[in-house]
Amino acid sequence: MPAKSLRDLDLIPPELARTLDGLLRERLRRSPDAVAYRDYNTQHKNWRDYTWAQIDRQVARWQAALTNADLQSGDTVALMVRNSIEWIIFDQAAIGLGLVVVPLYMVDRAENAAYVMRDAGVKLLFLEDIKQWRTFTALPVAPSALSELRRVVCRGPLSNEMDDARLIQAQHFLPDEGGATQHLDAAPAALATIIYTSGTTGRPKGVMLSHNNILSNAYGALQNKPTYPDDVLLSFLPLSHTLERTAYYGAMMAGATIAFARSVNTLGEDLQAIRPTELVSVPRVFERIRAAINDKLARGPGFRRRLFDLTVAIGYSRFEHEQGRARWQASHLLWPLLDRLVAKPVRQRFGGRLRNAVSGGAALSPEVARTFLGLGIPLLQGYGLTETSPVVCSNTARENLPASIGKPIPGVEIKIGEQDVLLVKGPNVMLGYWNNPDATAAVLSSDGWLNTGDKARVDSDGYIFITGRLKEIIVLSNGEKVPPVDMEAAVLRDPLFEQVLLVGEGQPYLGLLAVLNGEHWAALAGIQDCEPKIGRRGVANRREADLVLARVAPQIAEFPGYAKIRRVALIAEPWTVDNGMLTPTLKLKRAQILERHRAEVEALYSGHD
């Protein structure tokens, strides 16, 4: 792509937008006929573009409907629909009326969503389809949890058997015309949204974010990762995830286009169709792409593996040279050939135009980063929390140290507190937790410093490194401390493992709960004369354990000697959102997993020496 300069930017500063709906108003004034969003039309099987002016007219229709629903400024409204222009339109319409938006995850369990609606006092709910409403009404707590709901708007068709006066289909809820778009002149510090954390350690907490929290964060992030009016972002992380939602506001702030991916299953096709210039994702997506590449290489002739490894090694050496951390090497002269044979075909799988690929939401393995950077894919790791709107820091194209989470974005301060915890301060820090002053006081000091709960260090160049989590440290019986997340990420580099959880609190050694990839296990077990079907399993027998632990050992070789996994239990049923073992953002619910597999954990330590 042609080189960009600061003159090509068209950023709307927070002080001009003032509010999130003011952001749309200013974007409409600047570029009404530019393409704002691209969505897939399932009926005609093609991609359709929507301009800012078209979006504004639809926002006005929704505002007219919401006004007729007798909602008052400050009321809470929720939406549980897939990423789409309707998500954006509903959000903008509600915020423009002074309503407080509560996003819900499409994949969340009904019990969690019902808790959120009750806690937030939601008055109106926008759903994708009637199936979701059936799951809510089937809950024993439904009468009390849904008692404040006055209206339930369903994007899809209704069923005749649903007898609830609150239900209405969106096409009947919306008037034909909406008139002029309304913009409540709210203060930038006013509450705009309540975003509930994913709840890995208990009930979700409602994070209160103001207009300025989000606007300032989107603006700061755009200083580190410039976005231009001709950029195209492919949206596939749920918009209920704070990272994706702030990215949507950032795209509006920059005048860029967002295309909504159809699904994770069609992501490869959508990348080819949309050819995005920017991509925001969580590490697991990049990890799976790398695992698929490795799997394909393992099935092919050995020279392909060697050629791929050589390409990554030389490509990464060039990257380090460009970053000013390494000298030029004669081997770099091979790059044009290796790029044409190996690296460019991989980049084409992302559409061939990717200028920025951002990874956030969890730690990115340095090996995964090395692979993509070595192939010429500009992968940037960042760090943030829902409580910080969410971006705290990130790497940039010119200052990219993959093992780090980068440096603070403009406007954000950090410092290292007691127990090496990372503290954050800035206009992006939340107002507090909804209806939970005790939880707010536990993490937010009187002078505005937020305790992230993550341990960190800062090197002499200002790069930040996360070193662990205060509440996620396994302390062995000998007093040695082990960071489980780091070791789990290391084990997951082997495609044999789908999911793993490290155990060993108060025990003399570490154990592992492992969900295996059925295909890989069947191939391995067949060679070693073990049972190929995982079925209902528990603690692995000696032969199985030897096979699995032999695969674990090289992945954790860089960890201290005391951090050795000695026993393993094979788990037949994967951990999912539906069975309550994962959060909607696909993080492990450690307490729930340990409770469900208490017998397996106890067996790992029965009769130990």
Side-chain angles (χ1 to χ4, degrees), residues 308-349:
F308 181 84
D309 289 344
L310 178 65
T311 302
V312 171
I314 291 177
Y316 191 74
S317 175
R318 291 179 71 252
F319 164 77
E320 285 290 292
H321 171 64
E322 291 166 357
Q323 291 289 318
R325 293 191 292 265
R327 295 181 178 180
W328 181 87
Q329 297 182 20
S331 61
H332 295 175
L333 295 172
L334 293 173
W335 178 251
L337 176 62
L338 295 174
D339 184 45
R340 179 167 57 84
L341 293 175
V342 180
K344 188 175 181 180
V346 176
R347 294 200 300 273
Q348 289 298 330
R349 294 176 62 177

Side-chain angles (χ1 to χ4, degrees), residues 365 524 540 569-570:
S365 163
L524 180 63
L570 305 183

Side-chain angles (χ1 to χ4, degrees), residues 106-160:
M106 279 282 292
V107 298
D108 203 358
R109 302 178 75 200
E111 294 88 346
N112 285 346
Y115 169 80
V116 168
M117 286 189 284
R118 178 174 56 191
D119 188 63
V122 170
K123 302 293 191 298
L124 180 143
L125 173 64
F126 181 31
L127 289 175
E128 180 74 22
D129 57 51
I130 196 63
K131 294 178 183 177
Q132 296 166 301
W133 184 243
R134 288 196 189 102
T135 63
F136 288 137
T137 55
L139 294 172
V141 298
S144 60
L146 308 177
S147 61
E148 291 196 52
L149 271 178
R150 301 174 188 166
R151 178 62 84 184
V152 179
V153 183
C154 194
R155 188 179 176 193
L158 301 180
S159 300
N160 293 331

Side-chain angles (χ1 to χ4, degrees), residues 7 31 101 115 122 152 158 161 171 261 266 340-341 352 423 441 460 472 478 532 550 580 584:
R7 291 191 299 273
S31 47
V101 176
Y115 169 80
V122 170
V152 179
L158 301 180
E161 75 273 11
Q171 68 181 39
T266 62
R340 179 167 57 84
L341 293 175
L423 304 177
S460 57
E472 290 183 359
N478 61 3

Side-chain angles (χ1 to χ4, degrees), residues 398-410:
R398 294 188 176 184
E399 292 185 311
N400 189 0
L401 186 60
S404 79
I405 53 174
K407 300 178 181 180
I409 66 171

Side-chain angles (χ1 to χ4, degrees), residues 258-388:
I258 290 181
F260 296 107
R262 289 171 289 169
S263 69
V264 174
N265 294 333
T266 62
L267 183 58
E269 296 174 23
D270 294 347
L271 284 166
Q272 295 299 310
I274 299 302
R275 301 183 64 232
T277 59
E278 295 194 8
L279 192 65
V280 177
S281 183
V282 291
R284 193 61 183 142
V285 171
F286 295 110
E287 290 166 359
R288 286 180 173 174
I289 294 173
R290 180 176 182 264
I293 293 172
N294 285 340
D295 189 48
K296 185 176 181 180
L297 290 170
R299 298 170 187 268
F303 79 88
R304 288 186 181 174
R305 170 90 261 179
R306 292 190 291 273
L307 183 63
F308 181 84
D309 289 344
L310 178 65
T311 302
V312 171
I314 291 177
Y316 191 74
S317 175
R318 291 179 71 252
F319 164 77
E320 285 290 292
H321 171 64
E322 291 166 357
Q323 291 289 318
R325 293 191 292 265
R327 295 181 178 180
W328 181 87
Q329 297 182 20
S331 61
H332 295 175
L333 295 172
L334 293 173
W335 178 251
L337 176 62
L338 295 174
D339 184 45
R340 179 167 57 84
L341 293 175
V342 180
K344 188 175 181 180
V346 176
R347 294 200 300 273
Q348 289 298 330
R349 294 176 62 177
F350 289 87
R353 297 197 304 168
L354 202 58
R355 198 180 76 252
N356 284 310
V358 177
S359 177
L364 177 70
S365 163
E367 288 77 11
V368 173
R370 180 180 181 275
T371 297
F372 287 108
L373 289 167
L375 293 169
I377 296 171
L379 186 56
L380 305 172
Q381 181 173 201
Y383 167 88
L385 307 164
T386 303
E387 289 87 343
T388 55

